[in-house]
Amino acid sequence: MKKADIFEFYRRLAEANPAPQTELAYGNDYQLLVAVTLSAQSTDVGVNKATRRLFQEVTTPAQMVALGEEGLKQHIKTIGLFNAKAKNVIALSEILVRDFDGQVPRDRDLLTTLPGVGRKTANVVMNTAFGAETFAVDTHIFRVGNRTGLAPGKTVLAVEAKLEKGTPAPFRRDAHHWLILHGRYICKARRPECWRCPVADLCRFKPKTPPLAAKSVAAAP
């Protein structure tokens, strides 16, 4: 995608949603870190249901450690991989208490040393909690980057590098939110809703998907 088209791509997404936010529910930086860690291979909706009561009880790493692994499991047992996630959340909470005075470090490299925190999770926390211009490439952004031609790449790191290099300054802070939401609600995996996409004319995806009604009419004898 050409530079001018990339700028216009983001401009339209920004116009449609001037202040995009994560759909994970949280009350502070620590709860955000926990929520993003729990969201791996799970939906934001599912995580929010699991953490609704948890976050009423637990607002700090020390409180999470006091709750314990078994207590945490009772709150998050409805989400995928809850056993491993509970173990990681307790372990990272212990480290935050011991090494960081209970605070979430404002450093991506330090964040990725925590149990269960990979580069994507660290990028989300750095961006959402601390305003860093990071690009957290999940399945939605990977798909949008490749399908549209915005940031093609064979790996997550390749797509992240393309976004890092090609995203214009006015849009860097919120870019990953716009792309995630676009992939989640419009540029869907199985059937992208091209007929209502605000950037369809800029997108390199050729077999544009028609509305269901139009498709039915076209298929009629």
Side-chain angles (χ1 to χ4, degrees):
M1 193 178 292
K2 296 178 181 179
K3 287 185 178 181
D5 290 342
I6 291 174
F7 188 96
E8 180 63 13
F9 186 101
Y10 281 118
R11 190 200 66 76
R12 293 183 194 178
L13 295 185
E15 183 178 49
N17 186 3
Q21 298 179 347
T22 178
E23 294 186 320
L24 288 170
Y26 67 97
N28 58 33
D29 298 345
Y30 171 67
Q31 289 184 339
L32 173 66
L33 174 61
V34 171
V36 181
T37 301
L38 295 177
S39 70
Q41 299 183 48
S42 302
T43 66
D44 288 359
V45 172
V47 171
N48 289 341
K49 288 180 179 179
T51 59
R52 187 172 294 117
R53 292 186 63 185
L54 172 66
F55 286 167
Q56 291 175 358
E57 298 177 25
V58 174
T59 61
T60 68
Q63 290 174 338
M64 187 69 79
V65 173
L67 177 64
E69 189 173 328
E70 291 305 315
L72 177 56
K73 285 180 183 179
Q74 294 306 307
H75 283 281
I76 67 171
K77 60 186 178 182
T78 56
I79 65 176
L81 306 174
F82 73 93
N83 286 310
K85 290 176 180 179
K87 182 177 181 179
N88 285 333
V89 167
I90 296 299
L92 72 82
S93 299
E94 291 172 341
I95 293 171
L96 291 179
V97 171
R98 185 188 70 216
D99 299 339
F100 298 100
D101 195 29
Q103 301 300 308
V104 177
R106 296 181 174 227
D107 183 284
R108 182 169 61 187
D109 292 338
L110 286 177
L111 284 169
T112 58
T113 66
L114 299 173
V117 179
R119 186 178 179 87
K120 185 193 78 172
T121 296
N123 278 337
V124 172
V125 173
M126 289 300 297
N127 178 273
T128 303
F130 307 128
E133 294 178 351
T134 53
F135 301 87
V137 181
D138 67 351
T139 55
H140 296 300
I141 292 184
F142 186 81
R143 178 175 67 254
V144 170
N146 278 284
R147 180 184 276 167
T148 64
L150 177 70
K154 293 183 178 180
T155 67
V156 166
L157 285 176
V159 172
E160 182 182 335
K162 287 282 183 65
L163 290 172
E164 177 69 39
K165 182 179 179 180
T167 301
F171 309 113
R172 296 178 67 83
R173 171 65 177 77
D174 293 320
H176 103 264
H177 289 300
W178 284 316
L179 296 177
I180 286 173
L181 295 172
H182 188 66
R184 185 174 291 164
Y185 296 111
I186 295 180
C187 196
K188 300 176 182 179
R190 294 186 178 181
R191 191 171 189 273
E193 298 182 1
C194 302
W195 67 90
R196 67 183 191 92
C197 175
V199 293
D201 59 310
L202 304 172
C203 171
R204 291 185 180 179
F205 182 63
K206 295 302 182 183
K208 295 290 193 291
T209 311
L212 282 173
K215 190 174 182 180
S216 299
V217 171

